[in-house]
Amino acid sequence: SGRPSTSTSTSSIRSRLAGTAIWTEVTTINTTRVTQKEFRVGHRWTVPVRGRYEIEIERLTPDYDDVEQIQATCHLAAIRTFRPEAPLNMSLPLALIAVRIRASRQLQGMIDNITALVSPVIPDWDTATQTWIVRKTRNPASIARYLLQGPQVTYPRPDARIDIARLQYWHERCVAKGLYYDKVVVEETKIRDQLAEVCAAGRARPIDRGDVWSVIIDEPVELVSNVITPRNAREIGWSPQYVRYPNAVRVPFLDRSNDFKPAERLVPWIGYSGVPDIVEEWQMPGITDADAIWRATRRRMHELMLRPFPYTGMQDVENLAVEPGDRVLLSHSQLAEEAVAAHIASVSASKW
């Protein structure tokens, strides 16, 4: 009558372990359709033991039926194997993501671009309990400790080689100041360089004191560790830097409030008003908030304006009693006329 009718195709699947002679019957597939277009049929089974297998697929019905005037052809499209194990065999822990995709005609090929908002789950200092708790964190102090002890380090530092008490104090200071570090590190970099970047976001600097790793926090220090004068130092000097500051600073960043899309913040220089025509670009890695970008940029401007003179001097080993981060006093006659470096010429016996 010229109308399509139902037809059934039967195929059998056998398999055997490579190198053996016995075939195992897997299943027989009966496919019934009413169509003139190609379609796909699949079957999945579990093999008894792990190894290399040979598979035989045989069609039991003819490709052509002259009586019923049926034409059908079968082709083997693909054979895939699935291992019941993790796809990555690594001795170190990895951050993995699982994606479930619904098959449709809208998706073809492989996924080459996927984004996700993630946070590191690492030891974080908890002020309430005074302990380190494994949880999500953005604190630079916790990330700095992880960089020194995490699985990405070939030789992780033990707790005895890290100034834990200093990190705890720095952690609480970062919380009070609203300091954090948000960045996806995709390029290969040295641990020391990455550690310096994380510390910079928390207004600190890493330091290796020889026996322990610690941080230098840029904050006021009350204790004076040394007084430098022409009596205990030589070649004392300073080099003023007379520079012209720009009208504004442009800082590119990934905006956390806008799905981490690229943005930039234009910060006018301190004391400047008007439309800026001289603009410099600064980098603030790890900062993703516009207000935090403003505060960090203004703070850097104050540093350049209030610390314009680098002072230098040479001291003998017996006078070197300071380290980076200590507060020292400098006395020199060229700084002030009344700054005279006197010394005791002689001592005579006297009664008190």
Side-chain angles (χ1 to χ4, degrees):
S1 61
R3 291 177 297 179
S5 59
T6 301
S7 178
T8 300
S9 175
T10 304
S11 301
S12 66
I13 302 177
R14 300 194 305 171
S15 67
R16 69 180 179 184
L17 193 64
T20 61
I22 302 177
W23 288 93
T24 302
E25 191 75 22
V26 176
T27 187
T28 299
I29 301 178
N30 295 314
T31 305
T32 303
R33 292 287 192 279
V34 183
T35 180
Q36 296 180 349
K37 298 180 180 180
E38 64 177 14
F39 58 90
R40 297 177 182 269
V41 176
H43 179 72
R44 183 173 180 174
W45 73 94
T46 303
V47 296
V49 296
R50 182 172 178 174
R52 185 182 298 274
Y53 279 81
E54 296 176 350
I55 299 175
E56 180 186 81
I57 302 178
E58 180 184 4
R59 175 171 173 162
L60 303 180
T61 55
D63 291 346
Y64 302 94
D65 190 340
D66 295 336
V67 178
E68 298 293 337
Q69 296 184 354
I70 298 175
Q71 296 184 3
T73 305
C74 292
H75 300 278
L76 179 61
I79 298 177
R80 298 183 177 91
T81 58
F82 299 89
R83 296 181 179 179
E85 59 188 19
L88 301 177
N89 184 14
M90 290 286 294
S91 59
L92 301 178
L94 296 176
L96 306 179
I97 181 172
V99 180
R100 176 176 293 180
I101 304 174
R102 177 176 296 178
S104 65
R105 295 184 180 272
Q106 298 178 353
L107 182 62
Q108 295 181 358
M110 299 178 61
I111 299 178
D112 56 359
N113 187 13
I114 183 172
T115 59
L117 182 61
V118 299
S119 300
V121 181
I122 56 179
D124 183 58
W125 175 248
D126 185 70
T127 306
T129 59
Q130 293 292 297
T131 57
W132 290 84
I133 301 176
V134 178
R135 61 186 179 186
K136 296 190 298 183
T137 181
R138 304 165 61 201
N139 196 286
S142 301
I143 299 176
R145 181 181 181 182
Y146 182 74
L147 287 175
L148 294 173
Q149 296 182 317
Q152 76 283 348
V153 185
T154 305
Y155 302 103
R157 278 72 172 177
D159 291 348
R161 289 289 313 278
I162 300 177
D163 192 351
I164 302 296
R166 186 66 171 173
L167 291 182
Q168 294 170 180
Y169 168 75
W170 181 35
H171 185 286
E172 296 178 355
R173 187 176 185 275
C174 291
V175 173
K177 299 291 185 179
L179 306 178
Y180 58 88
Y181 181 80
D182 289 337
K183 183 180 179 181
V184 179
V185 181
V186 295
E187 67 277 1
E188 184 177 354
T189 181
K190 296 181 179 179
I191 296 295
R192 184 183 294 268
D193 297 338
Q194 188 63 46
L195 186 63
E197 183 175 293
V198 172
C199 292
R203 301 178 186 175
R205 183 164 65 94
I207 179 175
D208 185 3
R209 303 188 187 276
D211 56 343
V212 296
W213 276 87
S214 185
V215 291
I216 301 173
I217 304 174
D218 191 3
E219 61 180 353
V221 178
E222 299 295 336
L223 178 64
V224 177
S225 301
N226 196 0
V227 178
I228 300 178
T229 69
R231 295 296 179 182
N232 59 12
R234 62 185 183 278
E235 300 182 16
I236 300 176
W238 51 90
S239 56
Q241 298 179 0
Y242 301 100
V243 297
R244 295 185 61 181
Y245 302 116
N247 302 140
V249 174
R250 181 177 62 250
V251 183
F253 68 102
L254 300 178
D255 192 357
R256 182 181 180 87
S257 62
N258 190 23
D259 200 20
F260 290 92
K261 295 181 179 179
E264 64 179 23
R265 185 71 187 266
L266 188 66
V267 183
W269 198 269
I270 299 174
Y272 180 82
S273 61
V275 179
D277 54 352
I278 303 177
V279 181
E280 289 186 0
E281 181 175 307
W282 291 358
Q283 299 293 329
M284 299 287 178
I287 304 179
T288 57
D289 182 73
D291 294 337
I293 288 289
W294 178 280
R295 293 193 302 269
T297 305
R298 279 299 181 100
R299 186 177 187 277
R300 181 55 181 162
M301 292 178 182
H302 281 291
E303 291 177 354
L304 296 176
M305 296 174 63
L306 301 178
R307 298 173 178 173
F309 298 161
Y311 296 89
T312 60
M314 300 290 293
Q315 283 188 304
D316 295 330
V317 177
E318 59 270 16
N319 294 320
L320 288 176
V322 296
E323 61 181 10
D326 290 346
R327 180 186 179 187
V328 299
L329 300 181
L330 174 62
S331 175
H332 200 279
S333 59
Q334 295 184 6
L335 296 176
E337 295 182 355
E338 61 273 11
V340 178
H343 69 283
I344 299 176
S346 62
V347 177
S348 59
S350 62
K351 296 181 179 181
W352 296 93

